[in-house]
Amino acid sequence: IYYNALEKLIRFQIEFGTQGIVICSSTGEGLLLTQEERIGIIKQTINISTIPVLVGCSSCSTTDAIDNIKIAQDLGADGVLVTAPYYVKPTQNGIIQHFETIVQSTDIPIVVYNIPSRVTVNLELDTLLHLSKLPNIVALKDSTTQFDILSMLHILAPTMPILSGDDATLPACLAHGASGTISAAANAYPKLIYNIVD
C-alpha cells in the first residue's frame, strides 16, 4: 500500500469539501486486499481524516461480513458499507436475513449498497423498505438505473437517505430523490462532484 499517496488523497478530499470517505470498497479494491492491508488502510485513514470514514465490509459470507465490521468498528470507523452477499445469488428473503443478522451483531451505522452488476442480485423495493426500518441502517447507496424504485423509496421511506453510486447517472439519481453520492470520480474531481450535488 502506498501510504504517502493515500494520505495525499485523503487531504485532497477534505480540502475540496468532501463530507465523508469510503475505503476498502469497490473503487478502493477492498475485496482484493489482505486483512493486514485492510487494517493498515483503515488505521491510516482514521488517523488522518477529519471527516467521517466508512469502511467497505462486504462478503459472500454473512459471518465474514460481520467479522469485517467488527474490525472496522474496533479501529474507530464511523460506519460501514455492505452489499448483499455476492456470488451466491440469495433470494430477497435471504438478503433480508443477511442484513438482519448483521444489524443484530453491531450498533455501527450501516449503508446498504445495491450494486446488482457486481453482486448478481438486485434489492427490490419491498426489500429496501424492510431494510429501511432496521435500527442502524442509515442510508442506501444505489448503483442501478431503476429510478422508479428510487422515487418510490424516497416517497415511502423519506427518512432513508439515498446516495448515488454511479457517476454516470448521478444527475438522474438526484432528480429521483437521492441526497448525495459515493463517487469514484470524486477521487480526481472532488470539487466538481460536490458542486453537482450541492
Side-chain angles (χ1 to χ4, degrees):
I1 306 299
Y2 188 9
Y3 287 104
N4 289 340
L6 177 60
E7 179 174 353
K8 287 178 184 177
L9 182 57
I10 292 165
R11 296 195 188 284
F12 177 62
Q13 293 302 309
I14 294 167
E15 178 185 353
F16 285 99
T18 297
Q19 296 177 333
I21 294 175
V22 178
I23 54 172
C24 302
S25 192
S26 304
T27 304
E29 299 181 353
L31 297 175
L32 302 177
L33 300 170
T34 66
Q35 199 63 273
E36 182 181 359
E37 289 170 332
R38 285 176 55 83
I39 290 169
I41 289 169
I42 295 167
K43 283 182 176 178
Q44 171 145 347
T45 304
I46 290 171
N47 186 48
I48 294 166
S49 182
T50 57
I51 57 178
V53 175
L54 277 73
V55 179
C57 291
S58 300
S59 174
C60 60
S61 158
T62 304
T63 303
D64 287 350
I66 290 169
D67 289 344
N68 289 338
I69 291 166
K70 285 181 178 173
I71 290 168
Q73 187 167 18
D74 289 346
L75 292 173
D78 297 291
V80 295
L81 182 72
V82 183
T83 66
Y86 50 84
Y87 186 78
V88 295
K89 298 183 180 180
T91 63
Q92 295 300 301
N93 189 49
I95 293 167
I96 288 170
Q97 289 180 27
H98 172 72
F99 282 104
E100 285 179 340
T101 303
I102 289 171
V103 164
Q104 290 164 9
S105 73
T106 184
D107 58 1
I108 196 167
I110 299 166
V111 176
V112 172
Y113 188 8
N114 188 24
I115 182 165
S117 63
R118 300 292 177 96
V119 175
T120 72
V121 292
N122 183 46
L123 278 63
E124 295 174 2
L125 179 59
D126 287 345
T127 300
L128 293 169
L129 289 170
H130 183 91
L131 297 180
S132 74
K133 296 172 187 168
L134 297 181
N136 45 322
I137 290 184
V138 298
L140 166 69
K141 177 183 178 184
D142 190 84
S143 293
T144 73
T145 55
Q146 296 179 327
F147 303 122
D148 55 337
I149 289 178
L150 295 185
S151 292
M152 290 302 297
L153 181 65
H154 180 62
I155 291 165
L156 298 174
T159 60
M160 172 84 146
I162 299 168
L163 304 170
S164 168
D166 185 350
D167 292 313
T169 61
L170 172 58
C173 203
L174 292 169
H176 286 84
S179 56
T181 183
I182 296 176
S183 165
N187 282 283
Y189 303 102
K191 189 64 176 175
L192 173 64
I193 300 300
Y194 179 90
N195 287 340
I196 291 169
V197 173
D198 192 49

